């Protein structure tokens, strides 16, 4: 497998976990706290960005250019922004559900 495809898969894991596990926490399927899930996914996204950049640097030791690492950093930042937008949407959904439950 291509190392860049593996780096892409590693970087998308926190976003997918936030979508799946965060949604389950909002509808109370899981007993985990939604805030804890958000913190774990944000820090894991940042950590995985550093991990994949270091992994790409190790794989490309004979290449003197740093553009592969820059590409991974930019991709990681895009996924981090997408993760923050997803968390924001889930927080709004959680507030709407709480407001709807309060009105009943």
């Amino acid at each position: 497998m291509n190392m860049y495809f593996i780096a892409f898969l590693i970087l998308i894991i926190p976003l997918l976990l936030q979508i799946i596990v965060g949604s389950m926490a909002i509808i109370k399927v899981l007993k985990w706290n939604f805030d804890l899930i958000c913190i774990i996914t944000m820090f894991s996204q940042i950590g995985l960005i550093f991990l994949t950049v270091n992994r790409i640097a190790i794989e490309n030791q004979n290449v003197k250019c740093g553009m592969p690492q820059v590409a991974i950093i930019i991709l990681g930042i895009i996924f981090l922004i997408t993760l923050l937008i997803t968390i924001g949407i889930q927080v709004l959904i959680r507030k709407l559900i709480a407001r709807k439950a309060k009105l009943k």
Side-chain angles (χ1 to χ4, degrees):
M1 266 195 165
N2 190 355
M3 66 182 155
Y4 299 108
F5 182 69
I6 294 172
F8 173 78
L9 290 178
I10 289 172
L11 288 176
I12 204 166
I13 288 172
L15 178 63
L16 293 176
L17 283 176
Q18 177 64 41
I19 292 171
I20 294 168
V21 178
S23 298
M24 292 171 72
I26 288 174
I27 59 174
K28 307 288 187 208
V29 174
L30 293 177
K31 294 185 181 190
W32 290 3
N33 189 359
F34 177 74
D35 299 329
L36 178 66
I37 294 169
C38 293
I39 290 170
I40 289 172
T41 56
M42 283 191 309
F43 283 128
S44 66
Q45 180 70 43
I46 293 169
L48 288 175
I49 290 171
F50 289 120
L51 178 77
T52 54
V53 167
N54 288 335
R55 183 69 184 161
I56 295 294
I58 290 170
E59 293 287 330
N60 288 334
Q61 284 184 352
N62 57 353
V63 178
K64 304 242 188 257
C65 180
M67 288 308 288
Q69 291 90 347
V70 172
I72 295 298
I73 290 172
I74 291 172
L75 183 66
I77 290 172
I78 290 170
F79 280 136
L80 184 63
I81 291 169
T82 308
L83 178 67
L84 292 174
I85 291 170
T86 303
I87 290 172
I89 291 170
Q90 287 179 340
V91 167
L92 289 174
I93 290 171
R94 188 172 76 165
K95 286 182 180 181
L96 288 173
I97 290 173
R99 186 182 305 157
K100 192 174 184 181
K102 186 186 274 187
L103 291 175
K104 285 185 178 182

